[in-house]
Amino acid sequence: MSVKNSIGFIIVFLLMAALAACSIFFLLLAVNAYNQGFKETALYYSMAGLMGLIMSMYTLTRIVRRRPSTSTALNYEVQTLLRCLKCGFSNTRGFTDGDYVLGIGDKCPHCSTPMVILAIYRTSSKREKQ
Amino acid sequence: MNPEIVLQQILSSEGDRLGFIFQAIFIALFLFSIFYGQRLQVWMMLKNVEVGLNRIKRMRDNARQTILDLLRRFNDDPSLENAIDRLLEYFWIPPTSIDPFGIVGKIDHILNVRERRFRWELKSIAPNVDDNRLRNIENLIEVGISLDQIYRVMRHYYLLGKKTMSLFLIYQAEALMPTVLQEAEALADAIKAFSTGQPIGDGVGSLVAARFMYGAEKKLISEDTVMAEVEFEGRKLIVVKALGPGGNVGKPGEAIEKILEGRRIDAIIMVDAALKLEGEEVGEVAEGVGAAIGGIGVDKFKIEEAAKKFNVPLYAIVVKESMSDALSTMKWDIYVGVEKAINRIKRLIREKTNIGDTLILVGVGNTIGIGQ
């Protein structure tokens, strides 16, 4: 499926690129014709050039935009919030395997009591910000 | 060839010749659009479906690879891949609904059989894995099954559309693709949380219940479901949640039935996550009545039946979140929602019950990464 897809993509891409080039040439002709006083001819050329340019750009944008994108998975960091229930000290660190909410975490640096994990949460990812 | 001369030649040919050329081009384009326009449209739509399908395939393959990597830690057998593929294609056949009487019991039975069989299969693949991790792997495989199913169904419509070149088939597939992709992305987001045992947004109800029962003595009331009795401003609160921190939803329906049959209850409060509508904020809390529980409907049916039988009012509190939030690691906004939900529950208890009453508080949802 991927080989077929890439061949189809190249063919359409080349066709549209050729159409875009022709359209730009037509627009140049239109400018020249207008400068030389052929207003009606300039109108024909500019219409053809603009139509071709719009069509080729629209199709090119569509096919380029739907090329396989990068990973769609959320990319975020996970934090663990710990609190000492004895002295109220709070600490946030990266998530480690085995952490769970309301589980026992590291020892409190102030009173050496095991702290309780109050939250395990993720930071906003790029996809979500978009 | 001098371009100036070419330009002069083109421009010197009067309007007749140019007009003829443009008319010919116009007619050619018109005929092309009549005979091949639909085909071109179908081709463009097929390509859109194909791109979506490739994205779903990548998500499915990623899920399969994660499951494989995780299980390789416990079993290095070369046949592991085949075993995982077999699990990923596991299905269940819903009972016939021609005669709907008693269908809930039948669904419950089939799902229980499926669950037991599934756990047995997993245990045979990874015999040394602990119960919590086993539940997480089970959840991960469920995600893999869902992604595989989505991929297969969309591929079916894509290939069928390609084969028949039916505009309506392809149109339907293309129209459905954005919502299907959203669902697949939400499932793909769940992979990281399930593979590492992090709490997910769906566990908001469980977290609320866990906060109420923290420090109290707990006991198993039904399979994978715990309860604890706590006092709140003169009321007795029986708090129920799934057994954590492994990925479990427990059997809250069965638990409520058992409690109601054993003692007098004045109210049931259920807390769960609810899908937010576009425009609503994550972590918004809403209040209502009824059984706040999702899933196939077996537990909902049991709770409603039991509440009706014993004439107990059912109150519901939900924390809103999107599908992606519900399945991926919990966001901070949801923790804010948990605090709001706890305050609402306290207010509800004060307003709707009297001192000396006994209530059930059920925290519904997957308790992965949440203890008690």
Side-chain angles (χ1 to χ4, degrees), chain B residues 280-296:
Chain B
E280 287 180 329
E281 292 293 319
V282 178
E284 249 180 57
V285 177
E287 205 179 312
V289 289
I293 186 166
I296 290 172

Side-chain angles (χ1 to χ4, degrees), chain B residues 139-242:
Chain B
N139 282 210
L140 195 60
I141 292 174
E142 293 281 358
V143 169
I145 290 174
S146 302
L147 279 170
D148 190 59
Q149 199 67 33
I150 290 173
Y151 173 67
R152 281 167 193 273
V153 170
M154 290 314 284
R155 185 183 60 181
H156 168 76
Y157 284 109
Y158 166 73
L159 291 175
L160 201 65
K162 207 172 177 182
K163 199 192 256 180
T164 57
M165 282 309 252
S166 159
L167 177 70
F168 297 104
L169 261 178
I170 300 162
Y171 189 75
Q172 277 183 48
E174 203 209 9
L176 276 175
M177 193 50 99
T179 44
V180 171
L181 267 175
Q182 245 180 3
E183 200 178 319
E185 271 172 358
L187 287 165
D189 295 341
I191 293 167
K192 188 177 175 182
F194 284 130
S195 58
T196 49
Q198 293 163 358
I200 57 169
D202 184 51
V204 69
S206 287
L207 183 52
V208 170
R211 290 277 298 272
F212 273 95
M213 63 162 63
Y214 186 69
E217 193 191 335
K218 291 111 196 164
K219 65 174 184 184
L220 268 179
I221 180 157
S222 57
E223 195 186 344
D224 293 334
T225 314
V226 285
M227 63 161 275
E229 285 191 30
V230 292
E231 286 282 328
F232 176 75
E233 296 184 4
R235 285 91 167 164
K236 191 168 273 179
L237 214 57
I238 303 168
V239 190
V240 177
K241 80 176 271 290

Side-chain angles (χ1 to χ4, degrees), chain B residues 44-229:
Chain B
M44 295 279 274
M45 285 196 288
L46 264 177
K47 286 287 155 195
N48 280 339
V49 175
E50 192 181 304
V51 171
L53 198 60
N54 283 335
R55 279 175 69 182
I56 298 171
K57 187 176 184 291
R58 279 205 308 278
M59 292 179 214
R60 182 198 70 156
D61 293 345
N62 183 29
R64 184 183 173 276
Q65 194 55 47
T66 310
I67 296 165
L68 200 63
D69 292 343
L70 201 65
L71 283 173
R72 279 237 187 276
R73 292 187 211 164
F74 309 100
N75 183 348
D76 211 14
D77 199 77
S79 64
L80 185 64
E81 280 195 47
N82 292 335
I84 288 169
D85 287 337
R86 203 177 61 237
L87 279 177
L88 286 176
E89 286 176 16
Y90 217 82
F91 62 88
W92 72 282
I93 304 166
T96 178
S97 56
I98 301 170
D99 177 11
F101 180 75
I103 196 169
V104 178
K106 289 180 200 170
I107 293 174
D108 194 23
H109 171 67
I110 291 170
L111 288 178
N112 285 338
V113 172
R114 178 183 183 267
E115 200 176 279
R116 282 197 291 271
R117 168 98 177 122
F118 212 72
R119 277 182 192 166
W120 181 86
E121 286 268 3
L122 266 178
K123 267 278 180 198
S124 61
I125 291 172
N128 300 325
V129 69
D130 64 277
D131 265 6
N132 284 335
R133 202 174 277 269
L134 186 81
R135 301 286 189 271
N136 295 353
I137 297 171
E138 206 180 303
N139 282 210
L140 195 60
I141 292 174
E142 293 281 358
V143 169
I145 290 174
S146 302
L147 279 170
D148 190 59
Q149 199 67 33
I150 290 173
Y151 173 67
R152 281 167 193 273
V153 170
M154 290 314 284
R155 185 183 60 181
H156 168 76
Y157 284 109
Y158 166 73
L159 291 175
L160 201 65
K162 207 172 177 182
K163 199 192 256 180
T164 57
M165 282 309 252
S166 159
L167 177 70
F168 297 104
L169 261 178
I170 300 162
Y171 189 75
Q172 277 183 48
E174 203 209 9
L176 276 175
M177 193 50 99
T179 44
V180 171
L181 267 175
Q182 245 180 3
E183 200 178 319
E185 271 172 358
L187 287 165
D189 295 341
I191 293 167
K192 188 177 175 182
F194 284 130
S195 58
T196 49
Q198 293 163 358
I200 57 169
D202 184 51
V204 69
S206 287
L207 183 52
V208 170
R211 290 277 298 272
F212 273 95
M213 63 162 63
Y214 186 69
E217 193 191 335
K218 291 111 196 164
K219 65 174 184 184
L220 268 179
I221 180 157
S222 57
E223 195 186 344
D224 293 334
T225 314
V226 285
M227 63 161 275
E229 285 191 30

Side-chain angles (χ1 to χ4, degrees), chain A residues 5 12 29 36 41 45 48 62 66 69 72 74 76 95 97 100-101 116 119-122 127-128, chain B residues 7-8 10 22 43 47-48 50-51 55 58 133 189 192 198 214 325 328-331 335 369 371:
Chain A
N5 186 28
V12 177
L29 285 179
Q36 290 177 22
T41 314
Y45 278 133
R62 279 195 72 176
R66 67 158 192 242
S69 57
T72 52
L74 285 176
Y76 52 79
F95 173 83
D97 200 26
Y100 64 90
V101 180
V116 175
I120 294 168
Y121 61 96
R122 67 177 156 102
R127 195 179 86 193
E128 284 170 321
Chain B
L7 191 66
Q8 283 300 323
I10 292 169
F22 274 107
W43 181 80
K47 286 287 155 195
N48 280 339
E50 192 181 304
V51 171
R55 279 175 69 182
R58 279 205 308 278
R133 202 174 277 269
D189 295 341
K192 188 177 175 182
Q198 293 163 358
Y214 186 69
D325 296 326
S328 57
T329 307
M330 221 181 246
K331 277 168 129 179
Y335 283 97

